[in-house]
Amino acid sequence: MTILYIEWNSFGNEDMKEAFQAEGHTLVCFPFSNKEGRHDESVESSLMGVLRNETPDVVFSFNYFPLISNVCKKADIRYISWVYDSPYVMLYSYTVINPCNTIYVFDKELCQEFSRAGIPTVHYLPMAANPDRLDRLTTAPMPDAAPIKTAADMDIPAASPLSQQYDISFVGSLYTEKHNFFERMTSLNDYTKGYLDALMSVQMNIQGYNFIQDSLSPIMEDLYQALPMDPNADGVETREYLYAQYVINRKITGLERASLLKVITSHHTLDLFTHDRSYSLPNLVNHGPVDNVTQMPLVFKQSRINLNISLRSIKSGIPQRAFDIMGSGGFLLSNFQADFLDHFIPGEDFDYYESQADLLAKIDYYLTHDKERQAIAENGHDKLAAAHTYRHRVREMLCQI
């Protein structure tokens, strides 16, 4: 089968291309910018020309683009997209119903939302990892590892992720960077501020159900005056969706991550890998960002405990971070996401926490039960390798084409 691969600066490009080729398919790459995702006449013309010249069997992209879908509809060719971002507003483009589409989302509850709306083009497919590549990377010869750090080592400069071992690590955004929309709403009235504070406080204490979007009607006008956001011309998303998913849930996630890091560092040393280099706490080592392809897997492998604290806009899905941790042979301790239970067994392949107290208790337990923790990490890695690689996903995507 010939695949026209829409190539943009997405996560997982090389792993996905390798998987297609390993499964015996031929790739033709079409350079693309995700900023052109809705409409661009020159890109549409160029893509149509490639489709006519190359006559591929299917078009594939990470994330969904209305532009690609409309061209594929005109060319009468199947368009497969695999959405890894959450939130992802282009899923609410009216083009989603184009019959050429097969759109995969990694969040089962989100998929069911589309199904309940009578949209047959959206399907559930969890994310994946490439354990073969990760194994080669994490078992390559490295410099002698430094000893596990303690609080007494805090005056020692942070080591390279290539040569350091860690007790507890978190790799991810704190949502304190310049793209934080919430902090731009400086003109909110006192009622709206109080309403939001109460709403976010309650939501932070609830896992597995997000009510933010359904609760914004009383303050929508003030939110809009403080930070105007309008639905796209080709979209059916509501203003409530935009503010809930792109503004408030990100703020809640940032508050939650900061709160958990503070609680953990009151008892343990924690190593943080994030873009916000200014963030600091006692007993926290901020290493700044790490490269997702070459360095992040080493952090996962060399950490006794790897934390996953999911973005609040993810309803039930397993974040990519969790697959990468397990694929790298790391031990995963995550917040609860319902989709985990469809694929992995808590306490056998990974573990999850239900509260701050439970998180601290499990950190204490796993730091003192090395063999059990290592066995869980191995089980998670092996189960992922047996059923959740990019090659498995390619087969699932193409089995009905």
Side-chain angles (χ1 to χ4, degrees), residues 368-387:
T368 55
H369 290 75
D370 287 344
K371 290 184 178 180
E372 183 175 351
R373 186 191 69 248
Q374 290 166 2
I376 291 173
E378 291 174 7
N379 288 341
H381 173 275
D382 293 348
K383 184 167 289 187
L384 186 147

Side-chain angles (χ1 to χ4, degrees), residues 246-264:
Y246 284 93
V247 182
I248 299 168
N249 277 327
R250 288 186 177 183
K251 178 63 175 180
I252 293 172
T253 303
L255 292 172
E256 181 175 35
R257 290 179 178 181
S259 177
L260 291 175
L261 296 184
K262 185 175 182 180
V263 167
I264 294 168

Side-chain angles (χ1 to χ4, degrees), residues 159-176:
S160 162
L162 298 176
S163 61
Q164 186 66 54
Q165 293 182 338
Y166 316 102
D167 272 355
I168 310 161
S169 296
F170 177 68
V171 181
S173 175
L174 300 178
Y175 295 98
T176 55

Side-chain angles (χ1 to χ4, degrees), residues 4 10 82 114 163 169 215 217 285 287 291 321 355 362 390:
L4 183 66
S10 68
W82 190 12
F114 282 90
S163 61
S169 296
S215 306
S217 294
V285 180
H287 299 262
D291 179 79
R321 179 192 298 107
S355 64
K362 284 180 175 170
Y390 285 99

Side-chain angles (χ1 to χ4, degrees), residues 62-132:
F62 273 120
N63 285 350
Y64 170 79
F65 299 105
L67 182 158
I68 306 295
S69 178
N70 281 334
V71 173
C72 288
K73 180 181 177 183
K74 291 178 183 178
D76 191 25
I77 188 170
R78 175 64 58 186
Y79 173 36
I80 297 177
S81 58
W82 190 12
V83 178
Y84 65 72
D85 272 335
S86 177
Y88 191 67
V89 70
M90 290 195 202
L91 278 173
Y92 295 88
S93 165
Y94 69 82
T95 63
V96 163
I97 65 173
N98 286 346
C100 62
N101 292 336
T102 301
I103 303 169
Y104 293 104
V105 297
F106 73 94
D107 189 317
K108 180 178 285 188
E109 187 175 328
L110 177 63
C111 180
Q112 291 170 348
E113 175 186 310
F114 282 90
S115 178
R116 289 191 294 268
I119 297 173
T121 56
V122 178
H123 309 272
Y124 171 64
L125 189 69
M127 298 311 299
N130 183 352
D132 288 342

